Amino acid sequence: MDTQALALSLPLIGWATHSVYLAQRLATARRDPLTGLRTRAGWTARAERIIRRHRDAVVLLLDLDDFKNLNDAHGHAAGDVALTAIAERLTAWCGRQGIAGRLGGDEFAAVIRSDGSPDLRSLTRALNQPLAYAGRRLPLYVSVGSCRLADLPVRSLSDALAAADSAMYADKGKTGRRGTRTISH
């Protein structure tokens, strides 16, 4: 290759390399590096599409209860394992009918197409299964709130998330829902 052709191609090679780098950064920004779930921005875009196409969709908001205590008692590695387990369980429950995302910290969201009433009891049972970690069984407690889009006067993701958030906090407030919860050292 002559020097003139090389001089002309270098900027193109640099631009192509930079474009690939930016595309990879954008793709990873839409995925949570710990759980592999979509981040808030990535999940929101997909959730909006599902809502537009499926009038019977259900939006869920989930919060890992006592997460700070879990981290304090067993360390951040145990917390990371718990977050990953919740992500895997939620993703498995959604299957091909929906999408799960990690909104931040210990808060997750999902939207699913629904041909009836989604089995939230099976989801709650799956999420609340103890977690095997370092030779122990750590309890996991997840509060779940849901909102059927068909129940809203105006179908919007923000309104559905607000309603699911209210339902989630009502779920947290149920006395005796899980009995006494302690995280052992």
Side-chain angles (χ1 to χ4, degrees), residues 96-180:
R96 298 180 56 83
Q97 297 298 315
I99 185 166
R102 182 176 177 204
L103 301 185
D106 61 346
E107 189 173 66
F108 297 85
V111 62
I112 61 165
R113 300 181 299 261
S114 177
D115 296 332
S117 182
D119 188 1
L120 296 178
R121 286 186 182 155
S122 72
L123 172 62
T124 303
R125 277 192 304 273
L127 293 172
N128 290 326
Q129 290 297 310
L131 174 68
Y133 178 76
R136 294 190 169 130
R137 290 176 52 85
L138 304 179
L140 291 183
Y141 304 109
V142 180
S143 295
V144 179
S146 67
C147 174
R148 298 180 71 63
L149 285 165
D151 295 340
L152 295 174
V154 176
R155 285 186 7 219
S156 76
L157 182 58
S158 61
D159 288 348
L161 283 169
D165 188 51
S166 294
M168 181 188 68
Y169 277 99
D171 188 39
K172 280 184 181 289
K174 289 181 182 173
T175 58
R177 178 169 69 103
R178 296 185 188 104
T180 303

Side-chain angles (χ1 to χ4, degrees), residues 14-28:
W15 180 82
T17 303
H18 185 68
S19 294
V20 168
Y21 171 75
L22 288 177
Q24 288 174 337
R25 291 284 313 253
L26 181 60
T28 58

